Amino acid sequence: MTDAGALLLTRARLLRLGVALCAGAAIPASPTLAQQPQQPGRPRMNTRPIPSTQEALPVVGCGTWLGFDQRPGTPEYGRLAGVLDALFAAGGSVIDSSPMYGRSEETTGELLAASNQHARAFSVAGPPQDGKHPRGGQRGHEVPSVGAFLATKVWTSGRDAGIAQMEQSFARLRTQRMDLMQVHNLVDWRTHLATLRGWKDQGRVRYIGITHYTASAYGEVESVLRAQKLDFLQINYSIDARDAEKRLLPLAAERGVAVIVNMPFGGGGLLRRLRDKPLPDWAAEIGCTSWAQVLIKFVLSHPAVTCTIPGTSRPEHMVDNAAAGAGTMPDAAFWRRNAASLAV
């Protein structure tokens, strides 16, 4: 695409064009999430290893803040099965929620219970390779089936209140084992990490971590990351909010901690500011057909990042987001060369 011929496309218009050009991008209307095949002609989503176990994790997931806080019977709720269809069809698995997100946990549990894609259930399949369980579990003769990687959070103070809230999350998500439980925004993190270490030993949770979303908390996040043995850090990072590059992302890599990036679109404002700008020629060089894909590729280009979880309630946006997880990721020099195109 040349500068003269560049189109001023909104995300919705660009997605409609992409669907028309590539039948593989269409989301079939289906009553459940079950048995969604990889779309023909579309590359499989990349994975990256979780440092503490080397389990492969797909690089693009789905956040449920706002979008999944919907009640059955509404048009908004009716679209959400298609969102998860799109995630799984692209090879994704990570679904991130929180008791803070209204009805999002409950909605996620309902949708997964209506499908065969619930929390990556374990199935007997012979001994593990090299004596290690590929998913970090306790029983070495089992391997997981394909499906959702469920992540949620504890967001309250006090041991008993934390346990009660986490038990409620298990019930809402309709799972007996949580893939990842995180201390949300570091609320009473000492108390909850102690509980979670016990639950991890018991096999109730597979991974534990901490989260935050604002640079003002980075000092405390860094202190916890240095002092505690964690599997995951969830933190904000985007092309217009890069403070995590300075200390947190390098520290996570040094400590062997997986990184989930929230807010890859800068909380949504960044994408809104870019949508009326023409997509630059160089976007095609990295396999991007939308600004959303460019922003996700930027986040995934950092070697410390394991996965990103852009939130959406629309199937076509999930298709678009997931596509950014395939192919090669540009290096830092590429982004420096093209920084002017991303100025907003």
Side-chain angles (χ1 to χ4, degrees):
M1 181 186 295
T2 63
D3 288 342
L7 298 176
L8 294 175
L9 296 177
T10 65
R11 181 173 185 176
R13 289 175 60 200
L14 182 58
L15 289 169
R16 287 196 293 271
L17 177 62
V19 169
L21 292 175
C22 181
I27 301 296
S30 58
T32 73
L33 312 176
Q35 299 177 349
Q36 292 298 316
Q38 171 69 15
Q39 298 290 352
R42 296 180 70 86
R44 192 75 173 172
M45 186 186 294
N46 295 329
T47 64
R48 290 180 179 170
I50 299 170
S52 62
T53 62
Q54 297 304 302
E55 174 188 340
L57 196 68
V59 296
V60 178
C62 182
T64 61
W65 164 243
L66 296 180
F68 278 59
D69 184 15
Q70 309 295 341
R71 294 197 172 276
T74 64
E76 293 79 10
Y77 186 98
R79 288 195 298 262
L80 293 175
V83 173
L84 297 188
D85 281 345
L87 174 67
F88 296 134
S93 66
V94 178
I95 305 170
D96 180 79
S97 196
S98 170
M100 177 188 176
Y101 300 168
R103 202 180 181 278
S104 295
E105 287 182 323
E106 196 169 358
T107 297
T108 301
E110 290 164 355
L111 295 172
L112 291 174
S115 74
N116 292 327
Q117 299 282 4
H118 215 292
R120 295 181 115 185
F122 287 77
S123 57
V124 177
Q129 294 181 350
D130 302 323
K132 295 180 180 179
H133 193 290
R135 301 251 355 237
Q138 301 298 314
R139 297 190 299 184
H141 67 291
E142 295 177 331
V143 297
S145 60
V146 175
F149 181 102
L150 280 178
T152 192
K153 308 176 186 77
V154 56
W155 184 62
T156 189
S157 295
R159 180 179 180 275
D160 291 346
I163 289 172
Q165 188 178 76
M166 289 188 286
E167 294 286 8
Q168 183 179 64
S169 292
F170 275 76
R172 287 175 171 176
L173 289 163
R174 305 191 187 194
T175 186
Q176 294 183 354
R177 178 181 293 177
M178 200 70 67
D179 288 297
L180 170 61
M181 185 67 79
Q182 305 153 101
V183 180
H184 201 168
N185 296 345
L186 298 178
V187 175
D188 202 4
W189 62 265
R190 290 178 180 85
T191 298
H192 300 319
L193 284 181
T195 299
L196 287 173
R197 293 195 194 289
W199 283 17
K200 186 178 179 182
D201 289 343
Q202 297 166 18
R204 295 203 66 194
V205 298
R206 299 184 47 247
Y207 297 105
I208 63 175
I210 58 173
T211 81
H212 223 289
Y213 70 99
T214 179
S216 63
Y218 283 5
E220 187 178 7
V221 171
E222 180 178 349
S223 296
V224 177
L225 198 56
R226 289 188 182 279
Q228 300 291 317
K229 182 174 175 56
L230 302 170
D231 299 302
F232 277 84
L233 166 68
Q234 183 181 140
I235 203 72
N236 63 303
Y237 178 52
S238 64
I239 205 160
D240 68 340
R242 301 176 62 171
D243 286 351
E245 290 178 349
K246 298 173 185 176
R247 300 176 69 88
L248 291 185
L249 296 184
L251 179 59
E254 175 189 324
R255 298 277 294 164
V257 175
V259 174
I260 295 177
V261 168
N262 56 44
M263 299 171 64
F265 303 147
L270 174 59
L271 191 57
R272 287 192 294 271
R273 293 193 298 273
L274 284 169
R275 67 185 179 187
D276 290 331
K277 294 185 64 173
L279 201 63
D281 291 343
W282 52 258
E285 298 174 22
I286 59 174
C288 292
T289 59
S290 71
W291 277 114
Q293 291 177 10
V294 169
L295 298 180
I296 291 171
K297 285 269 191 183
F298 169 80
V299 166
L300 293 176
S301 295
H302 197 289
V305 172
T306 311
C307 172
T308 186
I309 49 169
T312 185
S313 61
R314 304 191 68 89
E316 66 271 23
H317 289 179
M318 190 69 251
V319 171
D320 191 52
N321 294 343
T328 58
M329 300 299 159
D331 59 16
F334 176 91
W335 296 110
R336 286 195 296 269
R337 287 196 306 273
N338 296 295
S341 301
L342 293 163
V344 290

